[in-house]
Amino acid sequence: MRHALILLAAACLTTGCPKKTAEAPTPKEETASTDAGTPAEDAGAPAEDAGAPATDGGSRAAQEACVDRWLKEHKLDRYGHPEGTMFTGGTPLFNEATGETRDRLEYVFARQPDALKACPATTTP
C-alpha cells in the first residue's frame, strides 16, 4: 500500500497541471483596449444628438479630459456621483438585468447636465 501511494504521488508530480493558454489574454491584448487611457467600456457609442459625446477620437479624448477635470473640481467620481460611492458590480454603466452597457459620458451628462454645458462635444469635419 505504501508503494502505491509513492507511485501515485510520483505520477501526479511528473504529469503536472495542463496549461490553458488560450484563456489568458496576452499583455498586448489587455492594453489594446486602454491605449488612450480610458477603459474599454468607454469606447465610442455613436452620438445621436447634441447631448451625446463626440465620436471623433481626438475630440472624444478632449471632451473626456474636460469632463474628468470638471468632475474632479466638483468632488465627484468618474460617473458623476459623490466621491466614495460604491456600485453593485463595480460600475453603474452595466445593467446586470439586461446585459447592456451605457457610455460613460452619456451617463455623466444625464446625471450632471452642467458637465455637458462646461464640456460640449466638438465635432470636426
Side-chain angles (χ1 to χ4, degrees), residues 86-110:
M86 302 286 282
F87 304 102
T88 303
T91 175
L93 302 179
F94 181 70
N95 183 339
E96 293 177 2
T98 63
E100 296 177 0
T101 302
R102 292 184 65 184
D103 181 76
R104 181 178 77 99
L105 291 183
E106 289 176 4
Y107 182 83
V108 170
F109 294 152

Side-chain angles (χ1 to χ4, degrees), residues 28-41:
K28 186 175 182 179
E29 290 173 357
E30 290 180 72
T31 58
S33 63
T34 59
D35 283 341
T38 58
E41 66 192 21

Side-chain angles (χ1 to χ4, degrees), residues 50-124:
T55 57
D56 181 18
S59 60
R60 166 103 182 168
Q63 187 179 28
E64 283 190 12
C66 177
V67 168
D68 289 339
R69 282 191 306 272
W70 187 91
L71 291 170
K72 188 173 185 176
E73 290 170 2
H74 290 84
K75 297 187 185 336
L76 300 171
D77 67 8
R78 63 179 308 218
Y79 305 110
H81 295 269
E83 288 180 344
T85 303
M86 302 286 282
F87 304 102
T88 303
T91 175
L93 302 179
F94 181 70
N95 183 339
E96 293 177 2
T98 63
E100 296 177 0
T101 302
R102 292 184 65 184
D103 181 76
R104 181 178 77 99
L105 291 183
E106 289 176 4
Y107 182 83
V108 170
F109 294 152
R111 289 192 51 78
Q112 304 290 341
D114 292 337
L116 178 59
K117 292 175 187 172
C119 304
T122 55
T123 56
T124 54

